[in-house]
Structures are given as C-alpha cells and as structure tokens.
Amino acid sequence: MQHIDKVSNILSDRITALAEPQTIAMAKKARELAAQGHDVISLSFGEPDFQTPQYIKDAAKKAIDDGFTFYTPVPGYPELRQAIADKFKRDNNLDYKPENIVVSTGAKQSIANAVMCLVNPGDEVIIFSPYWVSYEEIVKLAEGTPVQVMGKLENDFKVTPAQLEAAITSNTKLIMYSSPCNPTGSVFTEEELLALAKVLEKYPQIHVIADEIYEYINFEGQHASMAGFDFIKDRVVTVNGFSKGYAMTGWRVGYIAAHKTIAAACEKMQSQITSGTCSIAQKAAYAALQGGKEAALEMREAYLRRRNLVLELMNDIPGFKTNVPEGAFYIFPDVSHYFGMSYEGNTIQNALDLCMFLLTDALVAVVSGEAFGAPNCVRFSYATSDEKLTEALRRIKLSLAKLQ
Ligand SMILES: Cc1ncc(COP(=O)(O)O)c(C=O)c1O
C-alpha cells in the first residue's frame, strides 16, 4: 500500500487513457442523490425495466439442480450455438453453422473480442455517430484509430453512403454501427444497408461489426441485417444477445455470427481472457430461444406505447428537437437551444451542464450526448413506467422554463 502511495504512475497508460462510461458516472451521481433522500427519476439506464420472463428463470434453476456447474466449452454449449444458428435462419434468413457462432459474456464482450481480433495498431475504424458509448474506447484499447462519421438529425441520424465513402482511407479496417441504434433509436432499412454495403463492396479489406442487440425492439417494418447481402456476408460480424430483447441484462449472454476464421479468432481471444460464459446463464439463454419471440414482442408493445407518450410530452417542451425513434428504447433530442442560457448565475455551456441542471433541479437523470459523439444532444431512456415518464417530463419542462 505504502509502495503504491509513493509511486504516482503505477497504472498503465492503457487504463489511464480509458474513459469511464458516462452512463455509469451519471447513474452513480443519481444514486448518491437518492441515498440522500431525494426522489430521483433515472432515465439514464440502458436497461429494460421488466423482469426476465419466468420460463427463463425456471430453466436457470433447473440448470443448477441438474448440475450444470462446470466450465463450458469456450464458445458456448453446442446446443446453444445450434439454437442461435437456428434463430438466425428463422428471424434473419441467414445460414450459419455452430462453428460460426461464439457465445460471450454479454454483447459487450462479443464486440471487444471482434475488435481485438480485427484491428491492428493504427487501423482506422469508422464508427457511425451518434454511437454506443463503448465502441470508441474498445477501439482505442485495440490501439485502433476511431473515425467518427456523424449522421444528421434531419436524416434520422443515419450515415449516408456518400458520407461513408468520404471517410474511407487506405487504413480503414472496420466499420461499426448499431441498428436499432443506441442512442438515437434509428433503424436502417434493407435498402439503406444495401446502399452502404455497395460502397464497401469496393473495399475488400473493410469489415463490419453490425450490432443488432435491439433487433426485437423495432416498431416499424422488418429488421434488416448487413450480413443478408451475400457479396459482403463473410466480412460482417453480426452481434446480438439476450440483454435487451429478453430483459436479461444481468445474465451476461451475447453472441456473434461471423466467418469461421473470425469466429475461431474470437474463441481464442476469449479462451485467454474469460473462458465460456456462465453455464447457468447459457442454459437460461437456450430456454429463452426455445420459447420464441413472444415475451420479447410483448415488451416491445410497452416500449412503443412509452415512446409515443414521451414524443407527445417532448413536443410540448420548447427547444427540444427530436427524430422519431423507430426502435430500441431511447430518444435523443438536440438541446442546443438552451446553450448560453442561465439560472441563478450558472450558465448552461453544453449538454453535460444541462444534464447536471436537470439532475439537481428536476431530479431527473439523463445522459449527455458527448458520451455518444453528439455534444448537442441528450439521451433519455424510456425503459421505465408511464407514470415515471410523465412525472419526469413534467419536472423537466418546469425546470427548463427557469432558464433564461
Ligand atoms: C448498442 C449496444 N450494444 C451492446 C450492448 C451491450 O449489451 P450486453 O449487455 O449484452 O453486454 C449495449 C448495452 O447497453 C448496447 O446498447
């Protein structure tokens, strides 16, 4: 201990340079205020408020009683990998074998595995922005260079083929995006993905991480996958998991489907860092898939109702500019209207200041868009009850009216 106190640079450059996710930092502050007795409403979590469906919990209890308490194969139990391959056929019309599937400790580890296996130091990784918080930091950990390409609010925050093409250089190795998107709720249509894939067709060195973790929370149309286009399929790593669709965030089960060379590399990476994910959670995930999509679709109905409620309430707040999110459970208004305004001598300079103001004045926790590469925006999660959403938006409206 004394030794550590004396040596100031004990930690590696790698960890010193790593940002703490702002989503977690905000949640921490909100918890502190709540612990002091304040009635804080948190709209900062990226997590369903639903319990995991009972049939999935039952399968986990049975797995314990049946003795599934040992190490599992690193890429997951064979029957789970087969069930995931069957899911890809059923839902996405994609042909994969178990050898193409690697199950990991959440989609977050799936993404980290894939980035570590594809990116060399100095490789450029195009990240469609606004993006999920961890993409950029994972790329930096792999010593890649993140290149943000910003989708415009007027275009539903979606990056266009022309923007993609303009960002490609001879160093580009990978592109990453989520659809449905965290934080914007935007969903790429099949035509839009095809137009992007056509650009990539010309650059055989570029791979894609398509993060489809919100697949089942899609309010319009059919979910589309970049891997659905045969001419690019081998270069696409499709990421998915159980956290969002099946309300299983704590169970930590995610997966990829990829060309077998990439899948084998991810298995090797995982074998040295974590091994196979929890045996009991894998059995629960298997049961989730056997039960089909019904539970997920029921939750989707609730999210759709809440999205409409939040849109309606936000329409009533002057200065919030939003798109209409078509999936996931977030809304991402541009709040720059309030920059430069003040309350009790404090000026709101940016989205982070606005979030702090909303937390202390309205007792509502939301996350600044800076964390997602969009410093004019703020992310609201509507994965909470209609009552809480209504109360939160009422308080926010009152607080914002104090700004001058
Ligand atoms: C876009 C996106 N990808 C991946 C993840 C990570 O999911 P998991 O809980 O399976 O690690 C999240 C979680 O918030 C997410 O929003």
Side-chain angles (χ1 to χ4, degrees):
M1 192 63 192
Q2 262 176 355
H3 170 74
I4 290 181
D5 286 344
K6 274 189 215 138
V7 182
S8 59
N9 57 348
I10 205 104
L11 299 177
S12 68
D13 295 343
R14 189 179 302 113
I15 191 62
T16 310
L18 194 70
E20 183 185 9
Q22 254 197 44
T23 39
I24 291 177
M26 203 66 194
K28 216 194 270 175
K29 283 209 178 71
R31 266 198 300 273
E32 278 165 21
L33 277 171
Q36 291 162 19
H38 297 288
D39 170 26
V40 177
I41 301 178
S42 182
L43 306 184
S44 63
F45 290 121
E47 145 159 283
D49 58 322
F50 297 105
Q51 277 287 319
T52 304
Q54 189 59 44
Y55 75 96
I56 301 175
K57 291 182 179 177
D58 290 343
K61 290 179 192 161
K62 184 167 179 329
I64 297 174
D65 291 340
D66 290 351
F68 287 97
T69 58
F70 298 95
Y71 286 132
T72 75
V74 172
Y77 284 126
E79 64 273 24
L80 176 58
R81 293 163 82 202
Q82 182 62 58
I84 290 169
D86 295 345
K87 177 257 170 240
F88 274 111
K89 186 68 192 166
R90 181 194 70 194
D91 293 347
N92 315 102
N93 197 27
L94 290 173
D95 289 306
Y96 286 111
K97 297 197 179 90
E99 67 185 13
N100 301 112
I101 310 294
V102 180
V103 180
S104 299
T105 304
K108 193 179 260 187
Q109 188 187 20
S110 301
I111 295 165
N113 281 343
V115 171
M116 293 293 176
C117 290
L118 289 169
V119 173
N120 272 322
D123 283 347
E124 288 174 11
V125 178
I126 293 176
I127 300 178
F128 288 7
S129 177
Y131 53 82
W132 180 51
V133 279
S134 292
Y135 293 165
E136 179 153 315
E137 297 305 315
I138 291 173
V139 168
K140 286 187 198 155
L141 276 178
E143 296 178 62
T145 306
V147 177
Q148 297 178 16
V149 178
M150 187 70 177
K152 293 201 173 71
L153 171 58
E154 300 71 45
N155 194 41
D156 209 12
F157 290 112
K158 291 176 188 173
V159 169
T160 65
Q163 284 181 297
L164 171 61
E165 182 121 44
I168 291 173
T169 74
S170 56
N171 293 326
T172 308
K173 180 65 193 289
L174 183 66
I175 74 164
M176 297 172 74
Y177 66 85
S178 60
S179 176
C181 177
N182 176 4
T184 64
S186 297
V187 180
F188 279 122
T189 64
E190 189 170 356
E191 296 70 45
E192 287 163 343
L193 284 180
L194 179 60
L196 294 166
K198 288 260 182 218
V199 172
L200 299 176
E201 193 176 13
K202 293 180 264 176
Y203 303 93
Q205 81 281 10
I206 302 181
H207 290 67
V208 178
I209 293 182
D211 182 347
E212 303 185 359
I213 185 107
Y214 294 95
E215 174 184 9
Y216 290 161
I217 312 175
N218 177 351
F219 310 130
E220 330 270 332
Q222 175 68 24
H223 177 78
S225 294
M226 182 76 92
F229 309 118
D230 277 343
F231 64 88
I232 199 176
K233 183 180 175 199
D234 283 353
R235 294 195 263 142
V236 179
V237 178
T238 304
V239 174
N240 209 323
F242 294 83
S243 291
K244 315 293 174 169
Y246 288 99
M248 290 176 68
T249 45
W251 300 74
R252 311 309 301 133
V253 194
Y255 56 85
I256 58 158
H259 184 277
K260 64 179 185 194
T261 305
I262 300 174
C266 289
E267 175 181 343
K268 187 168 150 193
M269 178 66 65
Q270 183 161 300
S271 73
Q272 292 295 10
I273 295 186
T274 56
S275 301
T277 193
C278 167
S279 55
I280 298 148
Q282 285 190 54
K283 288 287 172 188
Y286 177 76
L289 287 177
Q290 297 308 105
K293 296 197 282 187
E294 216 165 287
L297 297 185
E298 255 174 54
M299 291 186 258
R300 181 186 70 178
E301 287 315 299
Y303 294 130
L304 175 58
R305 190 187 64 245
R306 293 162 177 183
R307 180 206 65 176
N308 292 340
L309 173 68
V310 169
L311 269 177
E312 194 187 311
L313 295 170
M314 268 193 192
N315 266 340
D316 224 22
I317 298 182
F320 272 17
K321 274 197 285 182
T322 73
N323 66 327
V324 176
E326 294 184 332
F329 38 65
Y330 308 102
I331 187 159
F332 200 58
D334 180 311
V335 297
S336 54
H337 169 82
Y338 291 99
F339 298 172
M341 293 195 185
S342 309
Y343 176 60
E344 290 181 346
N346 294 319
T347 303
I348 306 290
Q349 311 273 14
N350 50 38
L352 192 56
D353 289 349
L354 192 77
C355 290
M356 276 303 153
F357 171 69
L358 292 179
L359 183 56
T360 49
D361 197 81
L363 294 173
V364 177
V366 291
V367 189
S368 161
E370 272 151 37
F372 309 94
N376 286 345
C377 296
V378 165
R379 191 191 75 172
F380 290 70
S381 162
Y382 53 84
T384 192
S385 69
D386 298 27
E387 294 71 32
K388 280 193 181 159
L389 290 169
T390 308
E391 172 61 9
L393 270 297
R394 186 191 71 79
R395 290 190 201 169
I396 287 173
K397 191 177 170 193
L398 286 176
S399 291
L400 291 175
K402 297 179 191 168
L403 294 175
Q404 295 192 331

